[in-house]
Amino acid sequence: MKLVADNISVGLEKKTILSDVGLEVAAGEFVGLIGPNGSGKSTLLKSIYRTMKPYAGWISLDGDDVYKLSAKENAQRMAVVRQESSIEFDFTVMEIVLMGRAPHKRLFQQDTEADHDICEEALVRVGMETYASRSFFSLSGGEKQRVLIARALVQQAKFLVLDEPTNHLDVRYQLQVMDLVRALGITVLAALHDLNIAAMYCDRLYVTKKGQMVANGTPEQILNPQLIRDVFGVETEVTTHPITGKKHVYFFSESCRIKQSPQEVSKAQ
């Protein structure tokens, strides 16, 4: 499933949020979207999954305009895990996950044994199988996030949109979820805050700043101290991790610098 977003411009209350933004995600590719808060990452994703329609530009999945697909057709092709939960009424965890099977059903069709098997497998994959009968509202933020990822998995779509998928997750589950998504072998577009997660899992990165796309390339090309300074306004040291072979970013501020004596500074120079 290939995604193309071409010359996308999005506005809200006469204010332009995105201006002439474009990206492509090839079939089976895992692409990350990085940038500071307010740079337009979530807005771009919302335009792709059809909750914030652009006033200019074109978005397609395998050549079909996403805004011309029916809701059911779109849901069969694209699954979404949003940054915030839109669930207003309480359900059990299993009921939430079963909602992901809706695109594969006729109107009023009941859940089948096969549907339950698919959902149980998804809950196992995100480590939530013992929570199936629990109230969704009783869960922690991280637990809710894992349930919503399970709901997206059972859609069995070939394109997955993730808006900060590791939000609220502790380190173990961050890695577990990203390993899981990567192993699916489907097309993925994910907005990510953690640059080291992006470096470890993404094939390519797009960088947003102030509503525009300012760079794109592999993590090796993108993650360098100059670009990170220009986009995020922080100082870094970027190395190649000896175990993973991936780029690894170390962040520091002036207050965290190791204090050097004048003799050490002179010697370093």
Side-chain angles (χ1 to χ4, degrees):
M1 189 69 66
K2 179 181 179 179
L3 171 80
V4 176
D6 188 36
N7 294 323
I8 301 301
S9 295
V10 181
L12 186 63
E13 297 179 352
K14 299 182 179 180
K15 178 183 178 181
T16 296
I17 303 173
L18 294 178
S19 179
D20 297 324
V21 168
L23 60 76
E24 292 189 14
V25 187
E29 194 175 26
F30 194 128
V31 170
L33 190 60
I34 63 174
N37 288 341
S39 63
K41 300 189 302 297
S42 291
T43 298
L44 178 56
L45 293 189
K46 287 176 181 178
S47 71
I48 290 169
Y49 63 74
R50 310 196 320 175
T51 63
M52 188 174 283
K53 189 172 182 179
Y55 64 76
W58 188 63
I59 302 168
S60 68
L61 276 175
D62 279 353
D64 295 322
D65 186 336
V66 297
Y67 282 91
K68 292 183 179 178
L69 297 172
S70 69
K72 185 172 184 176
E73 287 174 324
N74 193 65
Q76 288 173 343
R77 298 189 189 194
M78 181 192 306
V80 180
V81 178
R82 296 172 175 82
Q83 193 175 97
E84 69 285 340
S85 170
S86 58
I87 296 168
E88 298 178 359
F89 301 100
D90 200 9
F91 296 92
T92 68
V93 165
M94 178 58 78
E95 288 169 337
I96 293 291
V97 178
L98 279 166
M99 291 175 188
R101 299 298 300 156
H104 301 280
K105 295 179 173 299
R106 298 185 303 274
L107 190 64
F108 302 124
Q109 183 179 357
Q110 297 294 309
D111 296 323
T112 65
E113 184 176 343
D115 291 324
H116 280 269
D117 289 343
I118 291 169
C119 293
E120 287 171 3
E121 180 185 354
L123 285 171
V124 169
R125 294 177 78 177
V126 299
M128 292 294 290
E129 67 275 17
T130 60
Y131 292 72
S133 60
R134 282 272 300 271
S135 156
F136 182 76
F137 284 175
S138 73
L139 305 181
S140 69
E143 290 165 345
K144 287 178 180 177
Q145 187 77 338
R146 284 188 277 154
V147 172
L148 296 177
I149 290 170
R151 184 179 67 175
L153 293 179
V154 304
Q155 280 183 236
Q156 298 178 323
K158 296 301 182 183
F159 176 54
L160 180 60
V161 179
L162 304 169
D163 193 354
E164 302 296 347
T166 56
N167 245 11
H168 310 299
L169 300 181
D170 62 31
V171 174
R172 174 190 173 192
Y173 285 113
Q174 286 182 31
L175 298 176
Q176 183 189 73
V177 164
M178 296 301 289
D179 283 341
L180 168 61
V181 171
R182 181 80 204 191
L184 293 174
I186 63 176
T187 310
V188 178
L189 176 62
L192 299 165
H193 266 311
D194 190 320
L195 299 187
N196 288 311
I197 290 284
M200 189 180 301
Y201 291 96
C202 295
D203 299 311
R204 289 188 302 115
L205 299 174
Y206 282 88
V207 186
T208 58
K209 181 182 179 182
K210 296 181 179 179
Q212 295 188 318
M213 202 70 75
V214 296
N216 73 85
T218 65
E220 290 72 26
Q221 293 168 327
I222 292 298
L223 296 176
N224 61 78
Q226 182 65 54
L227 183 141
I228 296 171
R229 182 185 304 116
D230 292 344
V231 173
F232 294 92
V234 295
E235 297 298 326
T236 60
E237 179 181 353
V238 181
T239 64
T240 299
H241 197 280
I243 296 176
T244 66
K246 304 286 188 178
K247 289 288 187 181
H248 190 85
V249 183
Y250 297 90
F251 300 92
F252 58 89
S253 66
E254 288 298 323
S255 64
C256 294
R257 287 178 183 268
I258 297 175
K259 301 303 182 183
Q260 293 180 304
S261 69
Q263 292 82 5
E264 289 172 321
V265 171
S266 177
K267 187 179 295 186
Q269 293 173 343

